[in-house]
Amino acid sequence: MWLKPEEVLLKNALKLWLTERSNDYFVLQRRRGYGEDGGGGLTGLLVGTLDSVLDSTAKVAPFRILHQTPDSQVYWSIACGANREEITKHWDWLEQNIMKTLSVFDSNEDITNFVQGKIRGLIAEEGKQSFAKEDDPEKFREALLKFEKCFGLPEQEKLVTYYSCSYWKGRVPCQGWLYLSTNFLSFYSFLLGSEIKLVISWDAVSKLEKTSTVILTESIHVCSQREDHYFSMFLHINQTYLLMEQLANYAIKRLFDKETFDNDPILDDPQQITKRGLENRAHSEQFNAYFRLPKEETLQEVHECFLWIPFSHFNTHGKMCISENYICFASQDGTLCSVIIPLREVLAIDKTNESSKSVIISIKGKTAYRFTEVNDFEQLVTKLRLKCGAASTPCHDIGAEVALSSDSTGPSDNLEEQSVTSQKECSKTVNTEALMRVFHPQNLETLNSKMLKEKMKEQSWNILFSECGRGVSMFRTKKTRDLVVRGIPETLRGELWMLFSGAVNDMATHPGYYAEVVEQSLGTCNLATEEIERDLRRSLPEHPAFQSDTGISALRRVLTAYAYRNPKIGYCQAMNILTSVLLLYAKEEEAFWLLVAVCERMLPDYFNRRIIGALVDQAVFEELIRDHLPQLTEHMTDMTFFSSVSLSWFLTLFISVLPIESAVNVVDCFFYDGIKAILQLGLAILDYNLDKLLTCKDDAEAVTALNRFFDNVTNKDSPLPSSVQQGSNMSDEKSNHTRVDITDLIRESDEKYGSIRCEDIYSLRCRNRLYVIQTLEETTKQNVLRVVSQDVKLSLQELDELYGIFKKELFLSCYWSLNCPVLKHHDPSLPYLEQYQIDCEQFRVLYHFLSPWAHSANRDVLALWTFRLLDENSDCLINFKEFSSAIDIMYNGSFTEKLKLLFKLHIPPAYTDVKSQDPSKGDELSKEELLYFSQLHVSRPANEKEAESVKNSPDKGKGKVDIQAYLSQWQEELFKKEENIKNLPRMNQSQFIQFSKTLYNLFHGDPEEESLYQAIAVVTRLLLKMEEVGRKLHSPTSSAKGSSGTVCGGPSEGTTETHLQEIDPSLLKEEPQWSFSFEQILASLLNEPALVRFFEKPIGVKAKLENAKAFQLRSRTKM
């Protein structure tokens, strides 16, 4: 390949390179030790090892071309080659196209400039045809070409980045290069003559973590298919690990978790993935999570600066982060100060003198923020002014957030008014007050000690508002957090939940949206609404608000509206409990947006069909227990106990286990700190009960101890009436146990476990997501194998390997195709057998790899017919059970079973007349032809159409089980098992001719080939004579002449052509149609020992499985 010209000093290279050709302007050199007899001996090994360890592209090419000018000591490298043929092409091109031109130049400098320009032009031309972007550095281009050459993956496989590292093979480190691409982790090393190539698909990775041991200071551990791989000695291990984590999660989402992937259009095209793009994406995700911004926001700029804190009278150092619609600031000096400024609130942006490099942002509410020491502050001001101009649309000038003043009105009064004006009719049904205010209004005349404490809390917050501002753009400091830990006052709870969750931004940017959704969802009836109706009365049934139609109706509207907004989640149990608490403290529309914030941002993937998010956070919780409570880990041998106990903690934010008056304090902390607050509290609860748990003998005893603890958690400052409080209604017996105040428990959790960082939780979530999804996949596999193993003779190990090959083929066909139709069919909520299905093209590939009949000349046609036979519901897809049943018959079936399979392949619905459009290809079918014939002449009886309509109904896959459908399906399967050979339809003459051809093709290459040909000729002649006699008996006047006499001519010649092509097509039309039953064919074949031996000969499937695993990926590469 051509190289960007670089200066080379030959003085240092004489011992490593040998000159093979030269002229006045160019030198062709060979690497010492290459191309010599015996591989170059020790010299070749040492040079090769040196190349692998020191060179920037994993292995120095053994040939190169240098440019020189007469009387000059400077040489320029312009080309390299992996073999003599490649480098000779470059040399010949130079001699034919460049040499003649160089003589016209007067100076050596002009010659060198011309050669360098020409080579750069060639490189640019090459770059247009490859995936190397023009703005990629030269080293990346070289690495890309090396990657393509070493691994031979399809051109569509996008290389993202590469790193120098060591791969530990046993106890020996092998220095080489790690290539990270969209679908694979690849490693290449050449050390002392030993070449190592490792290719791991991301979807096979079950564990990815950073580890450190005595031998390896810091390494990356990759576990794939129960094999451990360790990579170390990275220059930037954190950067490498982050990219590996993102690529693995991208593959997992794309192939296994379509519910999440469909909501993520950014990663829809693998070709658009770049290293920089992945890094930016990770930063944007962390930015949005930290500031609770909508998922659509992307981090665009980050500026280090100082922010003036007016109430503290000092500048705090931190970072200004800018996205499309927000300016955010987070301090980095320990003051825990942060600010969120929506551009829709900005009135003016000014700059001061150049000495302070200040940017002043003024917002509604007569508040201004001063940022100083901002680099490029003039350009920043210009950009922000343009942004604000775009953001200041009329609908945002209403001031949807809380004004930055000490006024204590709710955060969405203006929004409610706007909603009323825009949706008058619908909004009449929407509650404009929080249920707590309706059912428990505060009576200022009867102030008791608890009410006084509540008023003092309110006063503390009002003081904070006067200092820090009020609303979405308020300063958030350590004092804010301390007040949240103490518990938010009842009157401010809804407002501050909206603020800290970021729901206030969603509501401000979607005015009138909730009223529209409520109107559109009214009267809808589906599985989600049925489940909602069933759970309405189970949501805080002891609270008066949900004993009345007011509360129940509001809960119904919010849950139904959300199910309408997000049908992929619809409704999930636990959403009703959470929403009922939100409705107590927030207005109905606010409760809806709070639910959106929780389900779609703060607890991602919690409320989908597989609750993957909750399972991931449980795995994170288990890791934190191991780190912070090791003695508990040692005592509890089975860590799954914590998962089973804590699931309700995460799904309901402790609402289902704690008294309501205590649980709301937990929700306060959750909206401020996110999942970190739940994890911290969980650790604190286990720590508080540590001694009791260590004495428990079994799980049941531990669960009882924790339940007793939860019953005794109180909130001594709660102003709620005793009739509503759950903790105060305990019996006298329970009151003997030690009471625990929720405020003290939360404060203790913060003091002990506050060191857990949000960044660490984000990383733990990414890492454990791989483990959780692969565990779910393993469960799916085990269930499939358990079902299938009952109907086949293949061993469990063989089935396991076959399932792996089946699934791998499915994924391989999806790696390099956009909008893969097979992926669209993947639905994790379907029954286990239906989750992965292959089409005809994928089946053909597997048939070629695995079928003992794949050596047949018409193997493509056989694969097509087999697929059509297995595709009983005519959806052009087959599942693993259907696939394995065919493979099992081919290897383990009896003579009768194998023959019956071949017979059924040659009669409808499997059989169809196949003619390739390209005669030169013989019986080989193109992909388009294969897919066309697989869908051809599909007959659909009425009952099948009805079954399909059931399959495609909205209820399918959403948890609703049609018992009658399952019973009828079970009955059909039992009936199929009892299929009688007498019920098989007869085979007509054209089908029989094709059947005979297939047998001839199967026998080709067999040691008994000649005797098998003789046997099939005898059988064919016998069958035709039988048919002729039978026809004469039924119609005595019919002529004796016909095709039967012709067909019998010369079958002993042993060739398909002479035996079968003698049938005159015109005679077939004239003569009455003859046909054979399966019983006739079976009886005839049983009389021929050679045929019986052929079909009963034992064939081992193990070798085929091993071969398929070894060559499945390689068959798609260029190697």
Side-chain angles (χ1 to χ4, degrees):
M1 66 179 178
W2 300 108
L3 301 175
K4 182 181 177 182
E6 288 186 359
E7 194 173 321
V8 175
L9 293 175
L10 284 189
K11 182 180 178 183
N12 299 328
L14 288 175
K15 295 179 181 179
L16 298 177
W17 295 91
L18 297 172
T19 299
E20 291 208 333
R21 294 191 196 180
S22 65
N23 55 41
D24 290 343
Y25 299 105
F26 301 102
V27 178
L28 191 156
Q29 295 183 325
R30 173 174 53 81
R31 190 79 164 165
R32 189 180 290 275
Y34 289 91
E36 299 175 6
D37 294 337
L42 182 62
T43 307
L45 289 178
L46 292 174
V47 171
T49 301
L50 185 67
D51 292 345
S52 180
V53 173
L54 299 180
D55 184 67
S56 64
T57 52
K59 188 176 177 184
V60 170
F63 298 93
R64 71 177 183 181
I65 297 175
L66 305 178
H67 163 61
Q68 64 169 356
T69 52
D71 305 324
S72 172
Q73 298 298 314
V74 178
Y75 288 74
W76 300 83
S77 64
I78 59 171
C80 69
N83 51 57
R84 195 180 299 275
E85 182 183 1
E86 182 185 359
I87 204 69
T88 303
K89 283 183 181 177
H90 285 20
W91 179 267
D92 292 343
W93 189 90
L94 289 169
E95 286 191 328
Q96 293 168 16
N97 296 279
I98 301 292
M99 285 294 292
K100 296 175 183 177
T101 310
L102 297 182
S103 58
V104 304
F105 292 100
D106 296 328
S107 67
N108 291 340
E109 187 177 349
D110 291 341
I111 291 173
T112 300
N113 289 337
F114 174 78
V115 171
Q116 290 181 356
K118 194 68 179 173
I119 299 302
R120 288 195 178 97
L122 291 172
I123 291 172
E125 209 49 44
E126 277 184 0
K128 291 178 183 176
Q129 298 172 1
S130 72
F131 285 105
K133 303 288 185 184
E134 290 181 12
D135 58 348
D136 281 340
E138 183 63 24
K139 291 295 181 186
F140 184 82
R141 177 182 169 276
E142 293 177 19
L144 172 60
L145 296 173
K146 287 284 184 183
F147 169 71
E148 291 173 349
K149 198 164 288 185
C150 279
F151 301 101
L153 294 169
E155 290 182 354
Q156 297 94 325
E157 182 63 18
K158 173 75 180 290
L159 177 65
V160 177
T161 189
Y162 65 102
Y163 298 99
S164 170
C165 70
S166 289
Y167 170 63
W168 289 80
K169 196 173 183 182
R171 296 187 176 182
V172 180
C174 304
Q175 182 66 26
W177 288 82
L178 183 71
Y179 297 91
L180 305 181
S181 58
T182 48
N183 297 297
F184 299 97
L185 175 156
S186 312
F187 177 82
Y188 182 86
S189 172
F190 183 83
L191 193 68
L192 294 176
S194 174
E195 187 178 59
I196 296 175
K197 280 186 185 179
L198 180 71
V199 179
I200 300 171
S201 58
W202 290 119
D203 57 84
V205 175
S206 57
K207 183 181 270 189
L208 184 65
E209 61 181 352
K210 281 191 295 184
T211 59
S212 58
T213 61
V214 177
I215 301 174
L216 308 177
T217 52
E218 204 169 16
S219 63
I220 296 175
H221 171 213
V222 179
C223 181
S224 170
Q225 296 175 337
R226 300 187 184 93
E227 290 185 8
D228 293 312
H229 307 275
Y230 291 90
F231 303 90
S232 66
M233 300 185 191
F234 290 95
L235 188 61
H236 304 291
I237 190 167
N238 291 329
Q239 180 195 69
T240 309
Y241 176 74
L242 178 65
L243 280 169
M244 290 171 73
E245 195 174 61
Q246 286 182 288
L247 285 167
N249 271 293
Y250 158 71
I252 289 291
K253 282 182 181 180
R254 182 170 184 239
L255 298 172
F256 296 136
D257 191 16
K258 287 295 289 176
E259 291 176 80
T260 308
F261 189 85
D262 286 340
N263 296 326
D264 199 353
I266 299 172
L267 293 180
D268 198 33
D269 183 1
Q271 295 302 328
Q272 303 306 315
I273 296 177
T274 61
K275 177 186 173 185
R276 185 180 300 172
L278 287 171
E279 289 172 345
N280 292 342
R281 179 182 171 83
H283 293 150
S284 292
E285 286 176 354
Q286 292 181 358
F287 164 72
N288 291 341
Y290 184 85
F291 292 107
R292 305 275 193 277
L293 299 181
K295 288 193 297 185
E296 297 76 26
E297 294 297 311
T298 54
L299 181 61
Q300 295 179 337
E301 295 181 56
V302 178
H303 298 271
E304 284 205 26
C305 61
F306 289 88
L307 173 63
W308 172 251
I309 311 294
F311 49 88
S312 300
H313 303 290
F314 72 91
N315 283 309
T316 181
H317 176 253
K319 289 184 177 179
M320 179 198 291
C321 305
I322 301 170
S323 67
E324 292 91 341
N325 300 297
Y326 297 88
I327 302 168
C328 304
F329 177 87
S331 64
Q332 293 183 296
D333 55 7
T335 57
L336 298 177
C337 177
S338 64
V339 170
I340 301 168
I341 308 171
L343 293 182
R344 63 179 180 272
E345 290 291 298
V346 174
L347 295 175
I349 298 176
D350 301 300
K351 57 184 178 182
T352 59
N353 54 26
E354 293 187 7
S355 59
S356 62
K357 299 180 180 178
S358 298
V359 176
I360 299 175
I361 300 175
S362 304
I363 67 168
K364 298 168 187 175
K366 299 179 180 179
T367 304
Y369 301 89
R370 189 177 75 186
F371 299 91
T372 56
E373 299 301 322
V374 183
N375 291 329
D376 301 323
F377 73 104
E378 291 182 343
Q379 291 182 6
L380 179 62
V381 167
T382 306
K383 288 180 187 174
L384 290 178
R385 283 175 178 169
L386 286 171
K387 278 179 175 288
C388 290
S392 298
T393 54
C395 65
H396 295 151
D397 292 336
I398 298 168
E401 285 76 20
V402 187
L404 292 179
S405 66
S406 58
D407 185 14
S408 62
T409 55
S412 55
D413 292 338
N414 292 329
L415 270 183
E416 189 61 46
E417 290 170 16
Q418 190 175 8
S419 179
V420 170
T421 56
S422 62
Q423 301 286 340
K424 286 182 181 179
E425 292 181 8
C426 186
S427 60
K428 289 176 184 177
T429 62
V430 174
N431 289 343
T432 56
E433 285 293 335
L435 294 179
M436 194 62 80
R437 291 190 179 185
V438 176
F439 287 88
H440 304 293
Q442 292 187 5
N443 190 351
L444 300 178
E445 296 177 1
T446 57
L447 286 177
N448 53 28
S449 59
K450 289 186 177 180
M451 288 300 297
L452 286 172
K453 283 187 178 180
E454 187 74 3
K455 287 298 173 187
M456 289 171 65
K457 277 188 187 178
E458 287 182 30
Q459 189 58 32
S460 299
W461 278 95
N462 287 330
I463 293 169
L464 181 77
F465 292 149
S466 64
E467 293 178 351
C468 303
R470 185 170 184 172
V472 71
S473 300
M474 68 183 290
F475 285 91
R476 304 175 195 206
T477 64
K478 190 174 183 302
K479 187 176 179 183
T480 314
R481 198 171 186 284
D482 292 340
L483 289 177
V484 171
V485 169
R486 284 171 52 190
I488 297 174
E490 300 278 308
T491 54
L492 297 176
R493 192 160 265 143
E495 174 188 341
L496 293 176
W497 283 359
M498 288 290 289
L499 210 60
F500 298 144
S501 66
V504 65
N505 293 315
D506 292 323
M507 193 164 80
T509 52
H510 297 84
Y513 175 85
Y514 176 66
E516 289 176 13
V517 174
V518 167
E519 188 172 31
Q520 291 165 1
S521 63
L522 279 177
T524 55
C525 184
N526 50 40
L527 182 63
T529 56
E530 288 176 19
E531 292 178 342
I532 289 169
E533 287 298 326
R534 190 177 63 234
D535 288 347
L536 285 176
R537 305 280 173 184
R538 303 175 188 175
S539 311
L540 297 185
E542 67 285 342
H543 198 284
F546 299 101
Q547 295 169 0
S548 73
D549 188 58
T550 305
I552 293 293
S553 298
L555 183 59
R556 179 187 292 112
R557 285 193 295 271
V558 173
L559 291 174
T560 306
Y562 185 78
Y564 184 85
R565 164 192 165 85
N566 192 343
K568 289 190 177 177
I569 290 179
Y571 171 76
C572 178
Q573 283 190 338
M575 287 171 68
N576 61 318
I577 298 173
L578 177 61
T579 308
S580 58
V581 172
L582 298 178
L583 282 166
L584 288 177
Y585 295 98
K587 298 170 186 177
E588 189 175 317
E589 185 177 6
E590 294 172 347
F592 171 80
W593 287 113
L594 283 168
L595 185 63
V596 170
V598 172
C599 294
E600 297 176 15
R601 288 204 310 273
M602 300 186 73
L603 297 179
D605 304 333
Y606 259 61
F607 300 100
N608 58 20
R609 294 162 190 165
R610 297 193 291 175
I611 58 170
I612 286 175
L615 297 175
V616 169
D617 281 344
Q618 282 182 301
V620 171
F621 188 49
E622 286 179 17
E623 280 205 45
L624 293 174
I625 293 171
R626 290 190 194 97
D627 292 341
H628 295 277
L629 299 170
Q631 61 272 47
L632 190 57
T633 309
E634 292 168 10
H635 177 71
M636 304 293 290
T637 52
D638 186 8
M639 291 294 284
T640 55
F641 163 76
F642 299 110
S643 298
S644 58
V645 168
S646 63
L647 181 61
S648 62
W649 303 359
F650 291 100
L651 280 173
T652 65
L653 308 179
F654 285 97
I655 296 169
S656 62
V657 293
L658 285 174
I660 182 65
E661 66 274 11
S662 301
V664 290
N665 282 37
V666 178
V667 179
D668 294 342
C669 297
F670 167 74
F671 280 127
Y672 193 84
D673 277 333
I675 194 63
K676 177 176 180 281
I678 305 299
L679 293 167
Q680 286 178 186
L681 185 61
L683 290 172
I685 289 168
L686 294 179
D687 188 28
Y688 191 94
N689 294 278
L690 186 61
D691 295 337
K692 292 178 184 175
L693 292 172
L694 291 176
T695 58
C696 291
K697 296 175 183 177
D698 54 34
D699 292 355
E701 200 175 334
V703 170
T704 303
L706 288 172
N707 286 340
R708 190 176 293 122
F709 167 79
F710 287 130
D711 288 340
N712 286 280
V713 174
T714 63
N715 185 352
K716 60 186 180 185
D717 296 333
S718 174
L720 289 178
S722 57
S723 59
V724 176
Q725 291 194 33
Q726 296 170 346
S728 62
N729 296 331
M730 294 183 297
S731 64
D732 294 333
E733 293 178 11
K734 291 184 179 178
S735 62
N736 295 331
H737 296 284
T738 308
R739 299 288 183 88
V740 182
D741 187 67
I742 187 64
T743 307
D744 297 335
L745 190 61
I746 292 173
R747 187 179 291 113
E748 186 178 335
S749 74
D750 197 46
E751 290 170 359
K752 284 190 175 181
Y753 307 108
S755 58
I756 299 172
R757 300 184 312 151
C758 294
E759 294 85 352
D760 297 333
I761 294 172
Y762 175 83
S763 181
L764 286 170
R765 273 178 160 180
C766 287
R767 189 169 79 210
N768 282 286
R769 187 180 191 86
L770 292 174
Y771 167 75
V772 165
I773 291 184
Q774 293 288 15
T775 303
L776 291 172
E777 287 297 308
E778 182 66 22
T779 304
T780 298
K781 182 180 81 171
Q782 294 304 328
N783 283 302
V784 168
L785 297 186
R786 190 180 69 250
V787 171
V788 173
S789 62
Q790 298 171 9
D791 299 326
V792 297
K793 297 172 186 173
L794 292 165
S795 68
L796 269 177
Q797 184 182 354
E798 289 168 345
L799 270 178
D800 192 314
E801 292 182 23
L802 190 63
Y803 183 85
I805 294 167
F806 177 89
K807 190 169 155 187
K808 188 68 180 175
E809 183 58 38
L810 180 71
F811 287 170
L812 281 171
S813 59
C814 300
Y815 283 164
W816 304 290
S817 60
L818 300 180
N819 302 318
C820 180
V822 178
L823 281 180
K824 291 178 181 176
H825 289 286
H826 174 48
D827 184 353
S829 67
L830 290 175
Y832 293 120
L833 280 170
E834 305 300 324
Q835 288 188 20
Y836 293 110
Q837 301 181 85
I838 57 174
D839 63 19
C840 195
E841 169 63 19
Q842 292 144 8
F843 178 79
R844 172 171 64 173
V845 175
L846 291 177
Y847 187 90
H848 289 182
F849 274 127
L850 296 168
S851 173
W853 303 338
H855 64 276
S856 172
N858 64 337
R859 61 179 187 172
D860 277 5
V861 177
L862 279 179
L864 168 66
W865 291 339
T866 308
F867 180 85
R868 286 170 60 90
L869 177 67
L870 297 174
D871 182 22
E872 293 180 4
N873 61 353
S874 303
D875 64 351
C876 299
L877 294 168
I878 63 169
N879 61 35
F880 179 70
K881 184 178 181 181
E882 294 161 338
F883 171 76
S884 59
S885 66
I887 296 294
D888 183 60
I889 291 173
M890 292 177 193
Y891 282 96
N892 300 319
S894 64
F895 174 79
T896 305
E897 287 170 333
K898 289 179 182 177
L899 195 63
K900 186 166 73 171
L901 174 61
L902 281 170
F903 183 88
K904 290 168 76 174
L905 293 183
H906 293 81
I907 58 174
Y911 179 82
T912 184
D913 192 22
V914 177
K915 290 181 182 177
S916 176
Q917 294 178 352
D918 187 355
S920 63
K921 290 186 177 181
D923 289 320
E924 188 178 335
L925 298 176
S926 67
K927 181 179 178 180
E928 291 73 21
E929 289 171 337
L930 196 71
L931 295 176
Y932 168 74
F933 287 123
S934 69
Q935 301 168 20
L936 201 60
H937 301 306
V938 175
S939 58
R940 293 185 170 184
N943 60 342
E944 285 189 15
K945 289 181 181 177
E946 187 180 342
E948 187 181 359
S949 67
V950 171
K951 181 177 178 181
N952 296 330
S953 68
D955 296 338
K956 179 71 177 175
K958 294 186 179 179
K960 188 173 183 178
V961 179
D962 188 340
I963 301 297
Q964 291 297 328
Y966 274 106
L967 285 173
S968 61
Q969 186 181 343
W970 182 46
Q971 235 176 354
E972 285 175 16
E973 288 181 0
L974 287 175
F975 178 74
K976 285 175 194 171
K977 287 181 184 177
E978 298 169 2
E979 182 183 53
N980 196 321
I981 58 175
K982 292 182 179 179
N983 298 330
L984 290 172
R986 295 174 69 87
M987 181 182 283
N988 67 30
Q989 53 196 25
S990 60
Q991 294 160 3
F992 178 72
I993 293 168
Q994 188 60 56
F995 176 75
S996 303
K997 284 183 178 180
T998 298
L999 290 177
Y1000 273 95
N1001 285 325
L1002 290 180
F1003 302 153
H1004 182 67
D1006 190 89
E1008 294 188 64
E1009 181 178 354
E1010 194 62 33
S1011 59
L1012 287 166
Y1013 284 168
Q1014 293 282 352
I1016 196 63
V1018 170
V1019 168
T1020 307
R1021 186 167 54 224
L1022 177 63
L1023 284 168
L1024 291 171
K1025 281 186 176 180
M1026 287 168 56
E1027 178 63 21
E1028 184 182 6
V1029 170
R1031 228 177 31 248
K1032 284 180 179 178
L1033 290 174
H1034 285 92
S1035 54
T1037 58
S1038 64
S1039 174
K1041 66 177 182 179
S1043 59
S1044 58
T1046 313
V1047 174
C1048 297
S1052 60
E1053 295 175 11
T1055 59
T1056 309
E1057 290 78 3
T1058 58
H1059 177 59
L1060 296 166
Q1061 291 181 1
E1062 291 178 2
I1063 301 176
D1064 187 353
S1066 64
L1067 289 177
L1068 293 180
K1069 293 177 183 176
E1070 294 171 7
E1071 290 294 327
Q1073 289 284 321
W1074 43 263
S1075 61
F1076 301 111
S1077 69
F1078 176 70
E1079 290 171 294
Q1080 288 176 306
I1081 294 175
L1082 176 63
S1084 303
L1085 291 174
L1086 280 170
N1087 289 325
E1088 297 296 326
L1091 291 171
V1092 175
R1093 282 198 304 273
F1094 176 83
F1095 283 107
E1096 290 192 340
K1097 180 170 53 180
I1099 311 170
V1101 70
K1102 190 173 180 62
K1104 283 281 190 181
L1105 292 172
E1106 292 297 327
N1107 180 68
K1109 285 194 291 185
F1111 290 95
Q1112 205 171 7
L1113 174 61
R1114 207 176 301 175
S1115 66
R1116 283 178 164 80
T1117 66
K1118 295 174 284 186
M1119 300 299 284

